[in-house]
Amino acid sequence: MAMLPYWDAHWQSFCELSGHPELLTDKRFSNMRVRLKNIDEAYRITGLLTAEKTRDEWLSLLQDSNVPHMPVSTLDELIDDPQLVGSDFWQNFEHPTEGSIRMTGSPFGFSKTPASLRYAPPHLGEHTGEVLRQAGLSDVDIDAMITAGVATTSGSSSR
C-alpha cells in the first residue's frame, strides 16, 4: 500500500492509529519541518511500523482517517483487476516463437487512428547491431563488444 503521513495532522493520525503515540513527542518528528530534516529516519520508522500490519489491516485503520493512502496491487492481482480487464488493458498477442502472450494494450485511445499491437516484443539482443550502429559504432566495434561479452545478440544477425 502507499501512505503519506506528510502534514502534521497526518503524522499525528498515523502515530495514533499505528499504536505509537510516543512518536508525537519525539523531537526528531515534532513538526513537518523537523521531520523533513530527519526524513531518512522518519521513513525508516514509518516503514517499520507499516510492516507490523497487513495491507488490509492498514486500509481498514486508515479508511476514515485524514492520512493519504491507497492500496497497491500485487502483480498477481493486476492480472484479473476488474478495471484493467474491463478497459481491455490486457491484449493477447500471438508471438511467432513464444506462442500466445498477454501484453498491455495502448494507454491511449484515438478514434481515427486506433492503436494496436503490431510487432512482437523483441528477443534479448535482437536489435543490438542496429541500435549500436545508430549510436555511431562501426561493425568492427560492435563485433568486438559482442566477442567481449559486453553486448549480445539473440542469435539472429547483429547487422
Side-chain angles (χ1 to χ4, degrees), residues 8-61:
D8 290 338
H10 301 155
W11 181 254
Q12 180 176 348
S13 295
F14 169 73
C15 292
E16 291 168 354
L17 290 169
S18 70
H20 293 274
E22 71 278 3
L23 290 173
L24 294 171
T25 58
D26 188 316
K27 292 183 195 285
R28 300 170 299 170
F29 313 124
S30 60
N31 61 52
M32 187 173 70
R33 181 181 55 79
V34 176
R35 275 193 308 282
L36 288 174
K37 286 183 180 179
N38 296 293
I39 196 68
D40 289 340
E41 186 63 6
Y43 280 162
R44 187 186 73 76
I45 288 180
T46 302
L48 289 172
L49 298 181
T50 303
E52 292 178 355
K53 298 178 183 356
T54 67
R55 177 183 66 176
D56 290 341
E57 289 171 329
W58 276 112
L59 291 173
S60 178
L61 274 174

Side-chain angles (χ1 to χ4, degrees), residues 138-159:
S138 70
D139 286 344
V140 171
D141 292 334
I142 295 169
D143 288 341
M145 291 175 71
I146 293 168
T147 300
V150 245
T152 187
T153 63
S154 65
S156 60
S157 170
S158 65
R159 295 191 185 103

Side-chain angles (χ1 to χ4, degrees), residues 38-89:
N38 296 293
I39 196 68
D40 289 340
E41 186 63 6
Y43 280 162
R44 187 186 73 76
I45 288 180
T46 302
L48 289 172
L49 298 181
T50 303
E52 292 178 355
K53 298 178 183 356
T54 67
R55 177 183 66 176
D56 290 341
E57 289 171 329
W58 276 112
L59 291 173
S60 178
L61 274 174
L62 296 170
Q63 181 176 351
D64 296 321
S65 78
N66 63 348
V67 180
H69 67 282
M70 64 179 277
V72 175
S73 299
T74 65
L75 292 176
D76 288 338
E77 291 169 333
L78 288 176
I79 297 298
D80 297 316
D81 179 271
Q83 174 64 29
L84 297 179
V85 171
S87 65
D88 292 326
F89 178 81

